[in-house]
Amino acid sequence: FIQDEISLVPDRLLLTLGTKYEHNDYTGSEWQPSARILWKPQNRHALWLSAARAVRTPAMVEHGGKVLISMYPTPDGRMAPLYMTGNEGFKSEELYAYEAGYRWQATDRLFFDATVFYNDYDRIQSLTHTIGPTGYQADFTNSTTGESSGFELAVDWKVTNELSFALAYSYFDIDLHSGRDEMLSDSIKGDTRSDSTPSHQLSLRGSYYLLPNLQLNMWGRYVDSIRNYYFSQNGGQYLDVDGGVIMDANLIWTPRQGLELMLAAQNILDSRRLNFVSEYATPPTEIERSVFGKITWKF
């Protein structure tokens, strides 16, 4: 990993250049360069631009593995296996990321951040389904491409030494495209994976010191609805996950230095909630409301 920070204008304009190099047995040499420029027109204002390339190298199973995923009924009443098999020609997934941001320190206690981004994806993992004499087979391929864009807004406000808030909103739009030259399973086509990412997310965190050694933290967030294609033993079907508000909280007591006791509650507003649907054979699982305690001792 090599990186250099160049001061073009002292305390005003900075250029950061770097790259990461990695060699692996599956795809050989991989370069991941990045560039970032930061401009401070005034002491409390900062603007920045960045561009980077990143890769995800193949896992062992994607290159040469064979995994039994499940057993499926056939029209003649038998049970046939579904294998997920590796591909020695599987290449690294590739991302080109472009970002721009602005940060304003309005006061010593109030900060504003805004970021916009655009991502270009290539060679994303896909599965090509075939039917053989012994059952079904899904081979790893790199036939999906796509792009995503969006923005993020954040406000950090330390009202007093005891009370602080953090508000954040993000909008995310992604569009993946499956290769036309391959017979891809409906369960993992690009358009279904695009629907499995929420477009809108809103988060508000609050922290208040009731006593110098007693802290109350609350986290409320809204997550937009998503939709995914679930491929089970009974066939494929679309499943919707409704959007909604999720609330967590914890109370932290520090009776002495190095000792921390925490009481936490998760998913306070719902007795149980479905947050995500896997596209493979994992059954959809609802997360139940929970309360737990934790003791941390540092010595």
Side-chain angles (χ1 to χ4, degrees), residues 225-261:
S225 60
I226 60 174
R227 192 185 205 205
N228 208 352
Y229 196 92
Y230 170 59
F231 196 49
S232 66
Q233 294 184 357
N234 298 323
Q237 58 178 321
Y238 281 99
L239 290 180
D240 294 321
V241 178
D242 295 332
V245 177
I246 305 171
M247 179 70 73
D248 300 332
N250 64 49
L251 186 65
I252 301 175
W253 179 38
T254 309
R256 52 171 292 181
Q257 185 176 359
L259 179 61
E260 180 182 281
L261 290 79

Side-chain angles (χ1 to χ4, degrees), residues 154-274:
V155 180
D156 289 324
W157 184 24
K158 190 172 183 179
V159 185
T160 65
N161 291 336
E162 295 78 23
L163 179 63
S164 62
F165 294 100
L167 176 66
Y169 169 77
S170 67
Y171 171 76
F172 185 74
D173 179 66
I174 184 171
D175 190 13
L176 299 179
H177 321 284
S178 300
R180 296 171 178 264
D181 57 340
E182 299 189 33
M183 184 180 68
L184 298 175
S185 164
D186 285 341
S187 64
I188 41 78
K189 278 186 178 179
D191 54 355
T192 61
R193 287 194 291 184
S194 301
D195 294 336
S196 66
T197 303
S199 297
H200 304 276
Q201 296 188 71
L202 180 66
S203 169
L204 176 62
R205 293 177 182 264
S207 178
Y208 182 59
Y209 278 91
L210 303 171
L211 298 171
N213 63 346
L214 185 62
Q215 181 183 14
L216 174 64
N217 302 291
M218 302 193 70
W219 182 25
R221 58 199 185 276
Y222 168 79
V223 180
D224 200 9
S225 60
I226 60 174
R227 192 185 205 205
N228 208 352
Y229 196 92
Y230 170 59
F231 196 49
S232 66
Q233 294 184 357
N234 298 323
Q237 58 178 321
Y238 281 99
L239 290 180
D240 294 321
V241 178
D242 295 332
V245 177
I246 305 171
M247 179 70 73
D248 300 332
N250 64 49
L251 186 65
I252 301 175
W253 179 38
T254 309
R256 52 171 292 181
Q257 185 176 359
L259 179 61
E260 180 182 281
L261 290 79
M262 181 177 70
L263 179 64
Q266 295 181 330
N267 200 25
I268 297 174
L269 302 180
D270 297 294
S271 59
R272 58 179 62 242
R273 178 178 175 82
L274 181 63

Side-chain angles (χ1 to χ4, degrees), residues 84-156:
M84 188 175 290
T85 59
N87 173 12
E88 292 186 357
F90 191 85
K91 300 178 181 179
S92 295
E93 296 181 325
E94 188 177 47
L95 163 68
Y96 287 92
Y98 308 93
E99 298 181 356
Y102 170 66
R103 182 175 177 83
W104 175 34
Q105 183 181 349
T107 69
D108 292 340
R109 295 178 177 271
L110 184 60
F111 296 83
F112 294 90
D113 285 278
T115 305
V116 295
F117 61 87
Y118 175 80
N119 298 318
D120 185 14
Y121 309 100
D122 195 18
R123 305 198 299 251
I124 300 299
Q125 181 207 88
S126 302
L127 293 176
T128 301
H129 274 208
T130 58
I131 301 177
T134 59
Y136 303 98
Q137 182 169 307
D139 300 320
F140 287 104
T141 62
N142 294 100
S143 61
T144 297
T145 60
E147 56 278 336
S148 67
S149 60
F151 63 89
E152 298 177 350
L153 303 173
V155 180
D156 289 324

